[in-house]
Amino acid sequence: MATLYGHTDSVNMANFTNDGKSVVSISSDSSLRCWNVLNGKEKCVTKGRNFHTGEILSLSLHDSRSLALTGGNDNIYCLSNYEDGNVYNYSKVFEGSVEGTCFSKMLIYKK
């Protein structure tokens, strides 16, 4: 068992990727981090401009792509790539926090 260091505030959720090689975590520090399971090293960090500005509360990982859908108490949802940190969609459209996210099996996303 390894301790994963990097978040500067509470970790709110963590999920294994489908291949079991990585763990993706979200935090109250407004960041999403991807970790290598075998060596415990951080692979990628997503934070800052065009991402969350407050606590991230929800995380969903796509079944076959390196996509993360996150929601937070900043009224924002984001679609990002947890392997390279790119943010594809950033929207502040809700009143109140975004406390749940999920992917549809029918998702077709073209880059």
Side-chain angles (χ1 to χ4, degrees), residues 66 79 96 107:
S66 299
L79 179 65
L107 174 72

Side-chain angles (χ1 to χ4, degrees), residues 53 73-78 89-96 98:
T53 58
N73 70 357
D74 51 7
N75 308 353
I76 292 172
Y77 76 87
C78 294
N89 192 336
Y90 163 90
S91 295
K92 187 171 185 172
V93 296
F94 298 98
E95 291 184 26
V98 182

Side-chain angles (χ1 to χ4, degrees), residues 58-97:
S58 63
L59 169 68
S60 297
L61 302 182
H62 191 272
D63 287 342
S64 60
R65 298 187 179 132
S66 299
L67 297 175
L69 184 61
T70 54
N73 70 357
D74 51 7
N75 308 353
I76 292 172
Y77 76 87
C78 294
L79 179 65
S80 60
N81 185 313
Y82 57 78
E83 291 283 344
D84 63 18
N86 285 323
V87 178
Y88 300 126
N89 192 336
Y90 163 90
S91 295
K92 187 171 185 172
V93 296
F94 298 98
E95 291 184 26
S97 59

Side-chain angles (χ1 to χ4, degrees), residues 2 11 13-14 17 30 37-38 42 46 51 63 65-66 69-70 75 84-85 91 98 101-102 111:
V11 173
M13 187 178 290
T17 57
S30 305
V37 172
L38 296 178
E42 191 175 79
T46 306
F51 199 59
D63 287 342
R65 298 187 179 132
S66 299
L69 184 61
T70 54
N75 308 353
D84 63 18
S91 295
V98 182
T101 54
C102 69
K111 192 173 178 182

